[in-house]
Amino acid sequence: KQLNVRPIRDPKWQHVTHDQDRIALIGFGAASISCATFLSRLGYKHIDIFEREKFVEGGGVLKSQVSKLRHTKTNIDWEVQQLLHLNPQIEIKYGQCIDLKDKQAIHDRFIEDMKYDAVFVGAGNQRVNGPQDIIGQAD
């Protein structure tokens, strides 16, 4: 299989360097995999994914709880491998317990304490009331 999407930006776009920007993604499900893929294609290199459960290994609830009749784990694993091939600098940090209902605490922990430039909350619906959020400054 191939991704069938060019892993680089359109050469006509103005070049923007994102070498120093640090992005944190909370959750390792479909939303964070997609977010990390697109950020990597846009040139972001320093992306850390925080996942509470070690057994998830990419795919989140889709992989661990949705019926195998609706997807195959092979496809999800392939998406994760494509992401890691696209951006080998991505770090996946397991065992992180984060209170996702308190946006200020997320901001304080990731933006102030850990010095990330932005945080994407892509946790499953069982963890957050509302849609995924991006916390931080967007250019």
Side-chain angles (χ1 to χ4, degrees):
K1 291 183 180 180
Q2 290 186 6
L3 191 56
N4 293 329
V5 178
R6 292 181 21 205
I8 59 170
R9 294 170 40 143
D10 186 332
K12 298 174 194 162
W13 292 2
Q14 179 183 358
H15 178 70
V16 179
T17 303
H18 299 289
D19 292 339
Q20 301 303 315
D21 295 329
R22 297 181 67 225
I23 312 291
L25 309 180
I26 300 175
F28 197 16
S32 291
I33 292 169
S34 178
C35 182
T37 299
F38 281 95
L39 286 170
S40 296
R41 289 179 59 214
L42 290 171
Y44 291 90
K45 297 295 180 200
H46 302 287
I47 300 171
D48 294 334
I49 300 174
F50 294 85
E51 172 57 50
R52 186 176 71 159
E53 305 293 343
K54 172 64 176 160
F55 72 87
V56 172
E57 296 179 3
V61 172
L62 178 63
K63 189 172 179 181
S64 66
Q65 297 179 16
V66 174
S67 169
K68 294 176 186 172
L69 299 174
R70 301 201 47 164
H71 69 83
T72 65
K73 289 184 180 182
T74 306
N75 289 343
I76 298 167
D77 291 339
W78 178 80
E79 291 284 346
V80 171
Q81 290 306 312
Q82 288 296 314
L83 168 62
L84 297 176
H85 176 73
L86 177 64
N87 185 354
Q89 293 181 20
I90 288 178
E91 288 189 41
I92 303 159
K93 301 179 179 191
Y94 292 102
Q96 303 289 323
C97 190
I98 301 160
D99 179 11
L100 299 177
K101 295 184 191 253
D102 186 353
K103 289 183 185 180
Q104 186 62 46
I106 293 171
H107 178 275
D108 292 347
R109 179 175 177 182
F110 287 95
I111 303 293
E112 300 298 328
D113 297 342
M114 298 173 77
K115 304 300 182 201
Y116 283 96
D117 296 296
V119 179
F120 174 80
V121 180
N125 288 337
Q126 75 278 12
R127 306 275 184 250
V128 180
N129 294 328
Q132 287 82 12
D133 294 312
I134 297 177
I135 300 169
Q137 191 171 2
D139 292 21

